[in-house]
Amino acid sequence: MDVDLIFRVAAIGIIIAVLNQVLVRSGREDQAMLMTLTGLVVVLLMVVGVIADLFSTVKSVFGL
Amino acid sequence: MNLVQILGICIVAATVSILLKNYSGEYSLIVSVLAGAAVLILLISEIYDNLLDIRNAVSKYSASAYFLLALKSLGICVITGFISDACRQAGQISLASKAELAGRCAIFILSVPLLSSLIDTAYGFIK
């Protein structure tokens, strides 16, 4: 369930790093910066979903 | 208990995290935190039924409140440990210790009624 999420995040990270280099080389540093930030926000939203799922599981199991 | 699956996730996430480290550091941290969360979810869903059985078995006795308190502090330890290790992985040693301090305070707040009942019983013996 979460294993493919790990590979999805890794793929997004590599793609964004490569696109960042492409944009920087073609002289658009600001767009590269914005693209990196948006990629990070997307990935963080996915991470927050998994952490919320983990916390609700722990809460239900341990009766917190 | 599919131990092999959990160990497989850990080793794969470790290698993917190292692979991402030279591309961009923040994704390597995110991969390791995700893998930790996946392993914890798998583990906790494994022990879910056993804990329910233990809780039903204990709830018949009068002192079951103290056992539930211990279970709650165990849950707090699990979450606090997960988050403080993630902070330490990110290189933020002080944030990790702050998370652990918050966990200790939460457990202390949980155990205050226990301490007060202990004092009452002790005073009862002395009198």
Side-chain angles (χ1 to χ4, degrees), chain B residues 46-114:
Chain B
E46 288 284 328
I47 64 174
Y48 185 68
D49 342 320
N50 311 36
L51 275 183
L52 281 192
D53 303 343
I54 292 174
R55 214 190 280 186
N56 301 342
V58 167
S59 60
K60 289 196 287 294
Y61 303 109
S62 69
S64 73
Y66 304 135
F67 178 75
L68 295 182
L69 213 62
L71 218 54
K72 276 186 183 169
S73 57
L74 179 61
I76 289 178
C77 285
V78 166
I79 293 184
T80 311
F82 171 69
I83 292 297
S84 72
D85 288 343
C87 291
R88 201 165 288 122
Q89 160 87 16
Q92 306 294 328
I93 313 292
S94 72
L95 277 182
S97 63
K98 293 304 171 293
E100 278 168 11
L101 186 64
R104 288 192 196 104
C105 289
I107 290 182
F108 174 70
I109 290 171
L110 261 180
S111 68
V112 162
L114 186 69

Side-chain angles (χ1 to χ4, degrees), chain A residues 2-3 5-7 9-10 13-14 16-17 36 39-40 43-44 47 50-51 53-55 57-58 60-64, chain B residues 9 12 16 19-20 23 26-27 30-31 33-35 37-38 40-41 44 48 51 55 71-72 74-76 79 82:
Chain A
D2 284 321
V3 180
L5 208 58
I6 293 175
F7 292 120
V9 167
I14 290 178
I16 280 183
T36 306
L40 197 61
V43 169
L44 277 180
V47 170
V50 174
I51 301 284
D53 185 18
L54 166 70
F55 279 174
T57 310
V58 168
S60 66
V61 167
F62 292 104
L64 276 175
Chain B
I9 287 179
V12 163
V16 168
L19 166 74
L20 281 175
Y23 283 110
E26 61 270 13
Y27 288 104
I30 287 178
V31 160
V33 166
L34 263 179
L40 260 185
I41 287 179
I44 288 176
Y48 185 68
L51 275 183
R55 214 190 280 186
L71 218 54
K72 276 186 183 169
L74 179 61
I76 289 178
I79 293 184
F82 171 69

Side-chain angles (χ1 to χ4, degrees), chain B residues 1-44:
Chain B
M1 242 295 267
N2 39 19
L3 179 62
V4 176
Q5 180 191 3
I6 289 172
L7 298 184
I9 287 179
C10 290
I11 194 63
V12 163
T15 46
V16 168
S17 172
I18 288 178
L19 166 74
L20 281 175
K21 198 173 276 292
N22 44 29
Y23 283 110
S24 51
E26 61 270 13
Y27 288 104
S28 79
L29 169 69
I30 287 178
V31 160
S32 62
V33 166
L34 263 179
V39 166
L40 260 185
I41 287 179
L42 280 178
L43 278 179
I44 288 176

